[in-house]
Amino acid sequence: MNFLAHLYLSENNKDILIGNFISDAIKGNKYKSYPPEIQAGILLHREIDTYTDTHSIVRKSKRRLNKRYNHYSGVVIDIFYDHFLAKNWENYSEIPLELYAENIYAFFQNNITLLPNEVQNFLPSMIQYNWLVNYASKEGIHRILTGMDRRTNEISKMKYAVEDLKLHYHKFESDFTLFFKDLITFTQQKTITLLSK
């Protein structure tokens, strides 16, 4: 899953939220230098990624994509799923997405010293271009995919992925809805396990 889903799945635990957000920038066992609950958030992120990558519904979504994305197909589906989470946000949260995003951005700015340099470097762009809210529109998703394609020197071909999104829009949305229900249950159980260690 991508940023919005990882943040949402952290629920109201601020340390889990930080760990879940920074996890991709923490390699190997370097997570052990963080306090226990942030460690749990980092490990939770990894568990979510593994569960997502191996889930039958996610694999079905990947098969709908054009073959041109190769090993980037998982990233494309992660972004598509964040789109459907943002688009249908009111089904998952009583807090409007715009307010939720503002609170998240403020929280990370207030805890900037806990974030690795890599995360500190992209946080201003995330806030300036309001990534979390922009996930809700096809135009926003297209901008995000185009930006990610540029970062891969256009090797990923992700700038074309919005075509796939439009072609199979309702099927992808159905995939997301079914999968996210499973993921929420998995994450709640895994969080309890990680925090009890």
Side-chain angles (χ1 to χ4, degrees):
M1 301 303 290
N2 209 45
F3 287 119
L4 184 59
H6 278 291
L7 295 169
Y8 173 82
L9 292 166
S10 300
E11 295 188 336
N12 295 318
N13 186 312
K14 302 300 187 186
D15 291 325
I16 292 284
L17 186 74
I18 290 171
N20 213 338
F21 183 59
I22 68 174
S23 184
D24 284 336
I26 309 297
K27 306 306 179 190
N29 65 0
K30 291 184 178 177
Y31 72 92
K32 292 181 179 178
S33 64
Y34 286 88
E37 287 203 352
I38 293 181
Q39 288 185 35
I42 293 168
L43 295 175
L44 178 64
H45 181 114
R46 294 176 183 180
E47 294 277 3
I48 289 169
D49 282 355
T50 300
Y51 181 80
T52 300
D53 291 342
T54 57
H55 199 285
S56 60
I57 295 174
V58 177
R59 288 180 169 174
K60 183 168 69 173
S61 286
K62 288 179 186 177
R63 288 194 295 271
R64 298 190 202 284
L65 292 173
N66 189 294
K67 303 295 185 214
R68 62 188 160 212
Y69 311 113
N70 296 313
H71 65 276
Y72 291 101
S73 62
V75 179
V76 172
I77 295 301
D78 283 349
I79 294 170
F80 284 5
Y81 281 10
D82 256 16
H83 164 66
F84 292 115
L85 175 57
K87 177 195 167 201
N88 299 297
W89 184 258
E90 67 276 5
N91 295 336
Y92 300 98
S93 176
E94 294 179 0
I95 303 170
L97 181 58
E98 293 78 6
L99 178 58
Y100 178 83
E102 286 177 18
N103 291 340
I104 288 288
Y105 300 147
F107 173 72
F108 286 133
Q109 286 177 309
N110 291 336
N111 291 276
I112 195 79
T113 57
L114 292 172
L115 309 182
N117 289 337
E118 178 184 331
V119 179
Q120 290 186 28
N121 289 339
F122 73 67
L123 185 63
S125 289
M126 184 180 192
I127 295 169
Q128 181 181 352
Y129 298 107
N130 203 359
W131 293 358
L132 301 180
V133 172
N134 275 314
Y135 284 131
S137 70
K138 291 176 187 174
E139 295 77 15
I141 288 296
H142 182 57
R143 282 194 297 273
I144 290 163
L145 288 163
T146 300
M148 295 188 76
D149 192 40
R150 275 198 303 272
R151 286 195 286 278
T152 68
N153 295 316
E154 301 190 353
I155 292 170
S156 70
K157 310 298 183 194
M158 283 191 280
K159 66 183 177 185
Y160 302 113
V162 74
E163 297 171 11
D164 299 72
L165 178 64
K166 290 175 181 176
L167 187 62
H168 303 292
Y169 193 83
H170 297 296
K171 291 178 181 177
F172 281 129
E173 186 164 21
S174 177
D175 289 350
F176 163 76
T177 302
L178 291 171
F179 166 69
F180 204 60
K181 182 179 177 183
D182 287 353
L183 183 60
I184 289 169
T185 301
F186 169 82
T187 303
Q188 288 170 342
Q189 294 169 346
K190 189 58 68 172
T191 301
I192 292 167
T193 303
L194 288 168
L195 290 175
S196 65
K197 287 185 177 179

